[in-house]
Amino acid sequence: ALWCLMMSVTPSRGCLLDLPWEDILVPHILCHLPLQQLLSLQRVSKSFQSLIQLYLANMRCFDSSQIGPVIPRAAFVNLLKDNEVLQQLALQNCSDWLTDRELLPVIGQNHHLHQIQLKGCAQLSRHALVAISLSCPNLRQLSLAHCEWVDSLSLRSLADHCKALETVDLTACRQLKDEAICYLVQKCSRLKSLSLAVNANVGDVAVEETAKCCPELEHLDLTGCLRVKNDSIRVLAEYCPKLRSLKVKHCHNVAESSLGILRSRGVELDVEPPLQRALVLLQDVVGFAPFINLQI
């Protein structure tokens, strides 16, 4: 496709660039090309450069992974400087250089964002989350995994202004405690997916409040939440009839007595039943799984 577009710059009848840019080229042709190829296309001619700039200004989705493993800071700023219609923003590949200085202008001029991915962007600050809260009232999906700068005040701002949230990933946001999670779920009762994994400060209080406030919850990740116990898992089973998956690996205080209730409902769990775990362990130790008559 890129080759066909490049060939169109040669003098010929019916040149591609003669087609309406905003009505045909941008929404129906360029949208099917990878972003990295579009950036290369800018170097073909001044006309193509203008066309690609028009495309970038009207782009609905920006995913840094489409450009490659490394995107220069200046290139990112230039790519999105004229865009005010973004709906999806994924910047998980920008952790080495992305700071508030680069992100805040993009957030501030794009009020239609409903998906934001900032996984591992460790150089941002709480001001980034506050900016998202104030600029993106229709936000539905947000990943802040491994963003240890997220604190209770910035999460409170998110909860106050983004009540349409359905998916939130707070994996390894280690500043957060039960109180912050409770405030989030009280304000954002439409949550369907929530990750609180790898957070030693999260316990039964947060899990129980999540269960009571979010009846639409389908996926919950509590991996490594050492303070979570059986009681909150039972509350989860009682209040979340739509729950489809639960991760509790390395939650040493969660036992089959509570998980069995969810298992009987067909909820996908990341830990095996006790007998199955015993067989796997035995197989690892002796190198084979012995035959056991389960009918005894």
Side-chain angles (χ1 to χ4, degrees):
L2 177 59
W3 175 251
C4 292
L5 287 174
M6 293 178 65
M7 290 298 292
S8 69
V9 300
T10 59
S12 61
R13 186 176 181 181
C15 176
L16 180 77
L17 292 175
D18 291 338
L19 293 172
W21 288 16
E22 295 188 9
D23 295 331
I24 300 297
L25 293 183
V26 170
H28 298 295
I29 296 181
L30 297 187
C31 63
H32 297 292
L33 293 179
L35 186 56
Q36 191 168 20
Q37 292 188 1
L38 288 173
L39 299 181
S40 299
L41 198 59
Q42 287 187 107
R43 298 192 292 269
V44 173
S45 70
K46 289 184 178 180
S47 295
F48 268 109
Q49 183 180 21
S50 298
L51 174 60
I52 300 307
Q53 288 176 346
L54 176 65
Y55 172 81
L56 293 173
N58 290 275
M59 184 169 50
R60 299 295 196 273
C61 175
F62 180 84
D63 187 343
S64 61
S65 65
Q66 295 181 3
I67 299 178
V70 179
I71 171 175
R73 185 194 313 255
F76 169 78
V77 173
N78 186 61
L79 287 174
L80 296 179
K81 63 182 175 62
D82 297 322
N83 193 304
E84 298 180 358
V85 294
L86 275 179
Q87 296 180 1
Q88 301 177 39
L89 180 63
L91 300 174
Q92 63 269 31
N93 283 15
C94 305
S95 57
D96 291 339
W97 56 265
L98 185 68
T99 67
D100 292 354
R101 183 176 180 179
E102 293 78 35
L103 180 62
L104 264 58
V106 176
I107 297 298
Q109 67 192 31
N110 283 281
H111 305 293
H112 304 288
L113 281 164
H114 57 76
Q115 294 183 27
I116 299 178
Q117 163 68 265
L118 297 176
K119 180 180 179 181
C121 292
Q123 298 190 50
L124 297 174
S125 77
R126 61 183 303 273
H127 299 295
L129 187 53
V130 173
I132 290 171
S133 305
L134 298 177
S135 298
C136 309
N138 300 315
L139 192 65
R140 296 201 302 271
Q141 299 182 23
L142 177 63
S143 175
L144 298 169
H146 302 282
C147 293
E148 296 194 18
W149 45 266
V150 177
D151 60 11
S152 59
L153 288 177
S154 57
L155 193 69
R156 179 179 290 263
S157 177
L158 179 73
D160 284 336
H161 296 93
C162 300
K163 298 180 181 180
L165 279 167
E166 296 179 355
T167 300
V168 178
D169 188 347
L170 298 173
T171 299
C173 292
R174 295 186 174 91
Q175 289 196 57
L176 301 178
K177 299 180 180 180
D178 282 347
E179 181 182 3
I181 303 304
C182 289
Y183 192 88
L184 174 69
V185 298
Q186 288 166 4
K187 296 288 186 177
C188 302
S189 58
R190 301 182 191 177
L191 280 176
K192 295 182 180 180
S193 178
L194 177 64
S195 176
L196 303 173
V198 198
N199 193 330
N201 293 319
V202 170
D204 285 343
V205 173
V207 176
E208 292 180 13
E209 193 67 15
T210 298
K212 295 175 181 178
C213 295
C214 303
E216 302 297 317
L217 192 68
E218 297 178 2
H219 306 283
L220 180 61
D221 189 348
L222 299 173
T223 304
C225 293
L226 303 179
R227 295 176 56 221
V228 173
K229 302 180 180 65
N230 282 321
D231 289 345
S232 61
I233 301 302
R234 294 190 183 96
V235 174
L236 194 67
E238 179 180 357
Y239 284 89
C240 296
K242 297 184 179 181
L243 193 67
R244 294 167 52 192
S245 70
L246 173 66
K247 294 183 179 181
V248 289
K249 189 171 289 186
H250 307 303
C251 295
H252 304 303
N253 294 314
V254 175
E256 187 64 21
S257 58
S258 60
L259 294 178
I261 303 171
L262 294 170
R263 202 184 301 278
S264 66
R265 282 174 24 193
V267 175
E268 180 182 346
L269 303 174
D270 65 341
V271 293
E272 299 292 342
L275 178 58
Q276 185 68 30
R277 288 203 300 272
L279 290 175
V280 172
L281 179 60
L282 184 59
Q283 183 177 9
D284 290 341
V285 172
V286 302
F288 68 97
F291 173 78
I292 297 179
N293 186 352
L294 300 179
Q295 294 181 344
I296 296 177

